[in-house]
């Protein structure tokens, strides 16, 4: 049976999505693109970094010869304004392409859009909304950042079947197997920042860098919430602060002497608001957003996760679940904080995806309100 136009569009857009995930161009959105002629890809590209070619321009540049009469698949509506680069719409018009297939509309309130309209005015056929869910997932973090000023927040946990992240002796290495841990490192590499609390530093002494996976950009910023600035000088984060950035968000009562010692070792210190002895996560996210952080991966522990859940500031959850049972009332929970009084107030993860990684399972989903609207769209 011959492939229909609809099937073909979906297939090529899926390829464009795959390309887009190969980079982390924050504070710009991820964009991938494929140029197709007679059912064959003649050019592929993606937006590698802010200030560099946008996805569709990279794909057109990769074409040997010209793209006249071709079809261009692009995950995000081509821009129609001057920024760090010229409008992509004009490049598509000059290239003489016959048709442009768009995954998601732009939705940036700070610029003049109408890329689709400009292409149609130039006589180019435009189809919008192909593989829209996949393309929206690509740009939702960027869209949240440009509309609210704060980053998109993903909570990540590795837990047992009974929801524990460590034993009563605080031992957590390793709950999950190698395949799940590899996937978690890929998740880190796609994030602008990885965030933990000082308790996790003291218990586990993590490094927090992506290891053993392909790089999609510079190392993510490693962030510690540390109200009283207790971060010891001998921890892995401090020892490696000149190799990959470390930011510590602390309250106003930090020791000036300890602060100076951390700065001397390359650690960046950011004073923020502290409420009830804890860093105020709402204010912390605003500080990060002002510094160009678009996506934050929160790796815990339970107190930090609870802060984001209580404040309704978590947009997505990635849970790695191992087929083990830890048990014990004193074992480490997944989420602490105040919690809820009634089930009707529970956060909902809509349409989760489930994937098996070795013996473990990965559950991924985005939080929504009672009306089914994504938190990131607020």
């Amino acid at each position: 049976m011959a492939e229909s136009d609809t099937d073909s569009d979906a297939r090529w857009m899926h390829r464009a999505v795959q390309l887009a995930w190969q980079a982390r161009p924050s504070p710009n959105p991820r964009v991938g693109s494929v140029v197709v002629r007679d059912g064959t890809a003649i050019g592929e590209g993606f937006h590698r970094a802010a200030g560099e070619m946008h996805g569709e321009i990279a794909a057109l540049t990769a074409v040997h010869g010209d793209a006249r009469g071709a079809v261009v698949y692009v995950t995000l509506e081509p821009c129609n304004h001057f920024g760090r680069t010229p409008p992509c719409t004009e490049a598509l018009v000059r290239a003489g392409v016959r048709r442009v297939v768009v995954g998601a509309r732009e939705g940036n309130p700070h610029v003049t859009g109408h890329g689709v309209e400009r292409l149609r005015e130039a006589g180019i056929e435009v189809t919008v909304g192909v593989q829209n869910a996949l393309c929206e997932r690509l740009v939702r973090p960027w869209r949240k950042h440009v509309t609210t000023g704060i980053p998109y927040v993903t909570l990540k946990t590795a837990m047992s079947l009974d929801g524990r992240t460590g034993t009563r002796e605080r031992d957590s290495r390793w709950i999950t197997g190698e395949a799940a841990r590899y996937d978690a490192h890929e998740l880190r590499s796609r994030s602008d920042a990885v965030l933990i609390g000082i308790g996790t530093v003291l218990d586990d002494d993590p490094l927090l860098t992506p290891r053993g996976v392909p790089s999609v950009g510079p190392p993510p910023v490693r962030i510690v919430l540390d109200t009283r600035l207790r971060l010891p000088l001998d921890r892995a984060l401090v020892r490696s602060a000149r190799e990959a950035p470390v930011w510590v968000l602390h309250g106003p009562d930090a020791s000036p002497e300890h602060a100076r010692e951390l700065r001397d070792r390359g650690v960046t210190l950011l004073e923020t608001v502290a409420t009830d002895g804890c860093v105020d996560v709402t204010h912390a996210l605003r500080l990060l957003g002002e510094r160009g952080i678009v996506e934050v991966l929160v790796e815990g522990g339970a107190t930090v996760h609870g802060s984001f859940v209580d404040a309704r500031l978590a947009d997505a959850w990635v849970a790695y679940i191992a087929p083990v049972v830890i048990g014990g009332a004193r074992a480490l929970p997944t989420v602490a904080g105040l919690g809820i009084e009634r089930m009707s107030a529970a956060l909902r993860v809509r349409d989760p995806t489930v994937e098996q990684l070795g013996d473990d399972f990965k559950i991924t989903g985005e939080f929504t309100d009672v009306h089914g609207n994504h938190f990131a769209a607020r």
Side-chain angles (χ1 to χ4, degrees):
M1 180 181 294
E3 185 176 55
S4 69
D5 288 343
T6 301
D7 291 340
S8 177
D9 284 351
R11 178 167 63 90
W12 288 119
M13 187 62 75
H14 191 273
R15 174 56 183 161
V17 169
Q18 290 178 320
L19 291 166
W21 280 115
Q22 294 183 31
R24 179 162 45 83
S26 295
N28 290 354
R30 293 184 174 94
V31 179
S33 182
V34 183
V35 183
V36 176
R37 178 185 286 130
D38 299 327
T40 300
I42 59 173
E44 294 186 338
F46 54 90
H47 186 32
R48 292 182 179 274
E52 296 190 13
M53 290 185 291
H54 288 188
E56 54 271 57
I57 306 305
L60 287 171
T61 302
V63 173
H64 296 292
D66 66 60
R68 195 164 302 279
V71 179
V72 175
Y73 294 84
V74 59
T75 56
L76 183 65
E77 179 180 6
C79 64
N80 191 43
H81 63 276
F82 280 91
R84 296 187 185 185
T85 58
C88 293
T89 50
E90 300 311 308
L92 290 165
V93 171
R94 289 195 303 272
V97 302
R98 174 178 62 84
R99 180 171 175 245
V100 174
V101 182
V102 174
R105 294 298 294 256
E106 186 180 66
N108 185 345
H110 305 303
V111 300
T112 302
H114 311 300
V116 166
E117 289 78 4
R118 170 67 186 106
L119 294 173
R120 286 173 174 159
E121 288 172 0
I124 297 173
E125 180 186 349
V126 181
T127 302
V128 178
V130 174
Q131 296 280 27
N132 181 254
L134 291 177
C135 295
E136 282 289 336
R137 177 62 190 88
L138 273 174
V139 299
R140 195 169 286 125
W142 164 78
R143 190 167 283 150
K144 179 186 179 183
H145 185 255
V146 298
T147 56
T148 68
I150 64 175
Y152 182 94
V153 176
T154 298
L155 305 185
K156 172 256 176 180
T157 56
M159 68 179 81
S160 62
L161 280 177
D162 54 338
R164 303 297 184 173
T165 61
T167 70
R168 66 176 183 269
E169 298 296 330
R170 311 184 78 82
D171 178 28
S172 61
R173 295 186 178 179
W174 297 101
I175 291 177
T176 55
E178 290 185 6
R181 296 200 300 274
Y182 180 91
D183 192 85
H185 279 278
E186 284 193 322
L187 190 62
R188 278 183 187 172
S189 73
R190 295 197 300 267
S191 303
D192 296 323
V194 180
L195 185 150
I196 60 174
I198 185 61
T200 300
V201 176
L202 298 177
D203 286 345
D204 299 337
D205 192 20
L207 188 58
L208 296 184
T209 54
R211 298 184 296 281
V213 298
S215 173
V216 298
V221 178
R222 298 169 294 169
I223 298 173
V224 181
L225 303 186
D226 184 6
T227 310
R228 299 193 300 277
L229 198 60
R230 296 183 291 153
L231 177 62
L233 301 178
D234 63 350
R235 296 303 160 114
L237 288 171
V238 179
R239 297 197 309 271
S240 61
R242 298 194 187 281
E243 301 165 17
V246 176
W247 297 357
V248 179
L249 276 62
H250 62 87
D253 299 326
S255 161
E257 181 179 351
H258 190 54
R260 184 171 56 254
E261 291 175 327
L262 287 170
R263 289 194 188 97
D264 287 345
R265 288 162 172 79
V267 176
T268 297
L269 303 183
L270 301 173
E271 183 176 324
T272 185
V273 175
T275 305
D276 297 327
C278 296
V279 168
D280 184 300
V281 292
T282 301
H283 190 263
L285 286 182
R286 295 218 170 272
L287 280 179
L288 299 181
E290 289 168 1
R291 286 159 175 77
I293 300 296
V294 175
E295 295 183 70
V296 175
L297 180 66
V298 178
E299 296 202 16
T303 299
V304 172
H305 279 132
S307 296
F308 282 96
V309 170
D310 286 346
R312 296 301 191 262
L313 287 171
D315 299 298
W317 190 310
V318 178
Y320 298 95
I321 303 176
V324 298
V325 174
I326 293 174
R330 292 171 49 214
L332 298 179
T334 304
V335 178
L338 183 63
I340 60 171
E341 293 183 354
R342 299 184 180 277
M343 283 302 301
S344 59
L347 293 181
R348 301 286 176 178
V349 175
R350 302 289 182 182
D351 302 320
T353 61
V354 181
E355 180 182 359
Q356 187 165 0
L357 301 170
D359 292 332
D360 306 317
F361 289 89
K362 175 186 178 184
I363 299 179
T364 305
E366 293 183 291
F367 291 115
T368 64
D369 61 23
V370 294
H371 304 294
N373 298 312
H374 291 284
F375 273 27
R378 293 169 296 180

